Structures are given as structure tokens and as C-alpha cells.
Amino acid sequence: TVSKGPVMVEVPNVKSMGVQAATKVLQDKGFKVTTKPVEENYLGLGYVSYTNPGIGTAAPQGSTITLFLV
């Protein structure tokens, strides 16, 4: 038997979404989610500025996506 590796899933566009909505979208795709404030100009609004891995990239299903919040 030959392993085909992990199932790769495209990271959906959750930019400008609220943290709860973005978390649900990512969890529905099979990802785990963590959050961090952006390095500069953090305002405490709770909206997604960017993700790591980035939006539109492929990541292994079950991996963790970090949401950076403004």
C-alpha cells in the first residue's frame, strides 16, 4: 500500500469576517483555528486581517489556521 499523503484543502477567503463566522467556515472545511492580534495597529475589533497559511493556499486537512485579528 502506498500512502497518498494528507488531503490538501484550499484555505477559504475569510478576510474581513468576524472571528466567529471565520472560525465556523474554517472548521467546516476541516481545519483547526487559533487567533492572534496583528503585530501593528491592533484595534480589538475581532475581524480577520489575514491568515497563516494564506488565503487561497492549500493546507493539509486537520491542520491549524491562525487568524490575525484587527
Side-chain angles (χ1 to χ4, degrees):
T1 303
V2 177
S3 171
K4 295 181 181 179
V7 174
M8 300 299 283
V9 179
E10 183 177 332
V11 178
N13 185 354
V14 293
K15 186 175 180 176
S16 301
M17 285 185 170
V19 67
Q20 290 178 335
T23 298
K24 179 170 179 8
V25 168
L26 291 167
Q27 288 175 338
D28 287 350
K29 292 283 186 177
F31 294 114
K32 298 173 187 167
V33 179
T34 61
T35 61
K36 290 186 178 181
V38 294
E39 293 286 325
E40 296 179 19
N41 300 323
Y42 178 67
L43 302 172
L45 300 175
Y47 289 94
V48 178
S49 177
Y50 61 96
T51 66
N52 185 13
I55 293 166
T57 61
Q61 190 174 37
S63 62
T64 300
I65 306 297
T66 302
L67 303 177
F68 289 87
L69 309 175
V70 292

